[in-house]
Amino acid sequence: MITPRIVILGPQGAGKGTQAGRLKRRLRIPHFSPGELLRREMAKGTPLGKKITETMNAGGLIKDRDTNAVMRRVLRQAKTGWICDGYPRRMGQVVPMFRFARPNILLLLDITDQAAIRRLSGRRVCARGHVYHLQHDPPEHRGRCDRDGLPLKQRDDDTPKAIRKRLHIYHHETEPMIKWLQGKVPIISVDAHQPIPAVYRNLLKQMKRLPWLSSRLRSN
Ligand code: AP5
C-alpha cells in the first residue's frame, strides 16, 4: 500500500492548518507544520528558538538550513505517511526534501490576499497551537480553548505588517516553487474562500479520484 505523503500549501490564512488537522484524523497520519514546530522551539527558549524569534515575529522565513534540519528529523521518522503544512516553501527546501522525503500529492488552497488578511485578523490560538476564528470557528467558551482550557490570543506574526511580508514571500518564493512542482507531483487545487466544511469536502472529493488514495480514504 502506498503511504500518503501530502504537502498542503496556500497563502497565509488559506486554512492549511485547519484542513491538515481534519485530514490527519481521517487518514490517521501525523501532521507536521514547521511554523508550529518552530513556535514550540521559541516557547521552550531553545538556542534555535532564541535565534529565530525576531524573524518569525516579523513574518520572515527561517533559514533553509534550520528548517530543513527540523523537517528532515520528523519526516524520516513518520513511517505510516504524513501531511506537511507549509513545507516546502522555496527552492532551497523542495530540492533537499525530494531527496529525504519525496511527497506524492500536493494540495493547494487558493485564496485572495484580501480574504487572507481578513481571516488572519480574526484568528485566535492557544499556547498548544489549537486554532479558532472569532466568527467562522469560535470556541464554545469565549477566549478559552475547547481542548485544553488555555487562554486564546492573537499570534505575534498576525500583525498587518508581518502578514503583508508573509504574503509577499508567498508570491515571490513559494509560487515559483509550486510551478517547479508541476508535472513532478499530482496537484489538487481548491477554492478556499468557501466555509471550512465545504473546502474539506472538495479536497476529499478530488483526492478520491486518485485510486491509491481513494481506497485509503474509504477504509478509514
Ligand atoms: P505558519 O504557522 O505556517 O503560518 P502561515 O504560513 O503564515 O500560515 P498560517 O498559519 O497563517 O495560515 P493557515 O493557512 O495555516 O491558516 P489556518 O488554518 O490557521 O508559519 C509561521 C512562520 O513560521 C513563517 O512566517 C516563518 O517564519 C516560519 N516558517 C513556517 N514554515 C516555514 C518554512 N517552510 N520555511 C521557513 N520558515 C517557515 O486558518 C487561518 C484562520 O482562518 C483561522 O482562524 C481559521 O479558523 C480560519 N479559517 C480557516 N479556514 C477557513 C475557512 N474556509 N473559512 C473561514 N475561516 C477559515
Side-chain angles (χ1 to χ4, degrees):
M1 193 166 37
I2 302 174
T3 54
R5 298 189 301 277
I6 304 170
V7 166
I8 185 163
L9 293 175
Q12 286 61 27
K16 301 182 291 295
T18 302
Q19 298 299 333
R22 290 181 168 222
L23 287 169
K24 87 164 182 186
R25 289 191 288 278
R26 176 73 181 250
L27 288 163
R28 298 199 197 124
I29 51 175
H31 161 211
F32 300 113
S33 149
E36 205 42 56
L37 293 168
L38 294 167
R39 276 189 291 279
R40 268 184 228 160
E41 296 284 331
M42 282 166 34
K44 284 193 258 173
T46 63
L48 174 62
K50 286 183 185 145
K51 187 168 99 176
I52 63 177
T53 299
E54 204 179 314
T55 308
M56 287 274 291
N57 289 347
L61 286 185
I62 303 311
K63 285 198 172 99
D64 290 341
R65 197 183 48 232
D66 292 329
T67 313
N68 290 338
V70 168
M71 296 310 288
R72 188 186 296 114
R73 193 173 63 234
V74 294
L75 292 180
R76 275 193 168 159
Q77 285 168 5
K79 303 290 180 209
T80 57
W82 39 260
I83 178 159
C84 215
D85 137 26
Y87 180 86
R89 290 198 200 217
R90 57 184 172 191
M91 292 308 295
Q93 299 179 2
V94 74
V95 172
M97 186 197 195
F98 263 55
R99 288 195 290 267
F100 64 75
R102 191 183 172 114
N104 50 19
I105 181 165
L106 168 60
L107 307 179
L108 261 187
L109 301 181
D110 194 25
I111 194 174
T112 61
D113 285 8
Q114 291 79 355
I117 292 165
R118 274 199 305 276
R119 264 197 203 163
L120 290 180
S121 61
R123 172 163 62 186
R124 295 293 180 272
V125 296
C126 81
R128 295 208 180 109
H130 301 130
V131 178
Y132 300 85
H133 192 280
L134 292 178
Q135 285 89 41
H136 307 301
D137 189 18
E140 246 172 66
H141 302 287
R142 203 188 145 108
R144 295 263 150 206
C145 177
D146 292 342
R147 294 170 63 185
D148 47 35
L150 292 171
L152 298 179
K153 63 176 209 93
Q154 267 198 299
R155 255 171 54 176
D156 291 331
D157 60 348
D158 276 350
T159 59
K161 193 172 169 204
I163 294 171
R164 276 197 301 277
K165 179 162 181 176
R166 284 152 62 202
L167 286 168
H168 180 86
I169 292 172
Y170 183 80
H171 295 309
H172 288 83
E173 302 201 48
T174 308
E175 284 179 348
M177 181 202 76
I178 292 169
K179 280 211 178 85
W180 182 85
L181 280 169
Q182 283 167 4
K184 296 185 175 69
V185 57
I187 300 179
I188 285 175
S189 186
V190 301
D191 176 3
H193 295 92
Q194 301 167 61
I196 295 169
V199 175
Y200 181 60
R201 272 197 307 276
N202 276 343
L203 281 171
L204 286 183
K205 193 170 145 199
Q206 294 202 54
M207 288 166 82
K208 281 180 183 161
R209 292 192 186 132
L210 296 173
W212 64 270
L213 199 49
S214 163
S215 55
R216 175 92 186 216
L217 284 166
R218 281 183 223 289
S219 65
N220 283 331

